[in-house]
Amino acid sequence: MNNFSVNLSTVFTEVPFLDRFKKAREAGFDLVECQFPYSNTIEEIRNELEDNDLSLILINLPPGHWEEGDRGLAADPNRREEFRESVEIGIRYAKGLGVNQIHCMAGVHPSNNQNIFIENLFFAGTAMSEHGINLLIEPINPIDMPGYFLNDIQQAEEIINSVGLPNVKLQFDFYHIERIHGQALSFFQKYAELVSHVQIADSPGRHEPGTGEMNYKEILLYLQKHYKGSIGLEYNPQGRSAESFARLKEVTS
């Protein structure tokens, strides 16, 4: 499990968030990630990381008001100041928790536009570069998240190139790319030089690898040979979380 990072926002949801760190250690993980840690204090999370000898490698920026439908702020021309405040919060949590990668969600607002997204990414990437933090963007499929601004990998490449900062990178989620484009592995091969973090789940159900239609034996074998980073397990377990790892081991053996 040393190459995998278990996402504590989607796995071990049978228990409260702070209890999931112990579950991750008991399952043999060294690395964890999560989406939005902001309901807990830095101190609370740091204590769990230290007590369970875990490293937190990825968080998301605050997305706005999730319960009201926000899915990020970065492409919204009417929320520049709120976005900048979210960058400050994200950097503070990342520094306090030893995180070196932050995913920035674009948003679903109808007024979103690419120029604003690029401008905000440049601001955030510049701020994060001072702390050795990578800023990641990720195409998300329109089936799961209708109206999400960034929903194509070529669009992501264009945006990253337009921002032009070495710490602004691609988060490659095999599930989302499969749902958007199909043949996710071929797209990884094409865009690998932009990738700073990988996440996996099977399609179409977004459960653990081995439960859907994707050839994860081929994908994980390729990643083992050609990708040096960690692999985030951002899936929704089909059954109990602990049982999902047995299926994962089947496709990695």
Side-chain angles (χ1 to χ4, degrees):
M1 292 296 181
N2 289 348
N3 194 40
F4 292 105
S5 168
V6 62
N7 194 303
L8 300 183
S9 297
T10 63
V11 182
F12 297 122
T13 57
E14 300 93 342
V15 299
F17 179 71
L18 290 178
D19 294 338
R20 298 173 196 173
F21 294 85
K22 183 178 180 181
K23 292 287 188 182
R25 169 47 63 197
E26 290 174 346
F29 291 96
D30 297 324
L31 308 176
V32 292
E33 58 190 66
C34 69
Q35 294 169 354
F36 311 111
Y38 308 106
S39 295
N40 295 98
T41 66
I42 291 171
E43 291 72 21
E44 288 172 331
I45 297 171
R46 186 192 295 132
N47 287 340
E48 293 301 322
L49 292 170
E50 292 176 352
D51 288 348
N52 294 288
D53 194 23
L54 294 168
S55 296
L56 183 64
I57 64 167
L58 174 76
I59 61 175
N60 286 6
L61 284 181
H65 304 291
W66 188 273
E67 65 283 355
E68 297 175 15
D70 285 342
R71 296 295 183 268
L73 306 169
D76 190 338
N78 301 309
R79 301 176 78 174
R80 282 187 179 92
E81 289 306 313
E82 191 176 349
F83 175 76
R84 293 189 174 208
E85 291 171 5
S86 80
V87 172
E88 292 180 7
I89 295 168
I91 290 174
R92 179 160 54 84
Y93 267 74
K95 288 177 61 181
L97 297 171
V99 176
N100 63 6
Q101 302 201 96
I102 301 179
H103 171 218
C104 172
M105 296 188 73
V108 295
H109 197 276
S111 65
N112 284 348
N113 81 63
Q114 189 150 311
N115 288 336
I116 295 299
F117 193 26
I118 291 167
E119 175 187 315
N120 280 333
L121 290 173
F122 185 85
F123 169 84
T126 301
M128 291 179 193
S129 69
E130 298 176 5
H131 306 284
I133 300 170
N134 284 340
L135 174 64
L136 311 183
I137 62 171
E138 171 194 57
I140 295 178
N141 81 80
I143 301 166
D144 288 354
M145 196 172 288
Y148 190 71
F149 182 74
L150 180 57
N151 57 23
D152 179 273
I153 195 166
Q154 185 175 350
Q155 178 193 14
E157 178 190 36
E158 292 170 357
I159 289 168
I160 290 169
N161 289 339
S162 294
V163 175
L165 294 175
N167 67 320
V168 176
K169 300 285 189 177
L170 179 66
Q171 180 166 292
F172 191 100
D173 188 309
F174 274 84
Y175 166 77
H176 285 302
I177 299 303
E178 185 72 21
R179 297 288 273 175
I180 296 168
H181 299 290
Q183 302 298 316
L185 181 56
S186 68
F187 281 88
F188 179 83
Q189 292 165 340
K190 181 176 180 180
Y191 292 98
E193 65 179 18
L194 298 177
V195 174
S196 185
H197 187 58
V198 162
Q199 292 177 328
I200 60 173
D202 217 329
S203 177
R206 205 178 185 183
H207 303 306
E208 60 269 26
T211 58
E213 301 171 353
M214 298 174 68
N215 185 349
Y216 265 106
K217 280 189 177 290
E218 180 185 16
I219 290 169
L220 291 172
L221 181 61
Y222 184 88
L223 291 177
Q224 182 181 6
K225 292 180 178 179
H226 301 285
Y227 170 71
K228 296 181 180 179
S230 58
I231 299 170
L233 304 180
E234 194 185 46
Y235 59 70
N236 302 308
Q238 194 171 56
R240 294 191 61 80
S241 295
E243 297 168 357
S244 71
F245 307 130
R247 186 68 67 91
L248 181 63
K249 287 178 180 178
E250 288 177 11
V251 299
T252 57
S253 60

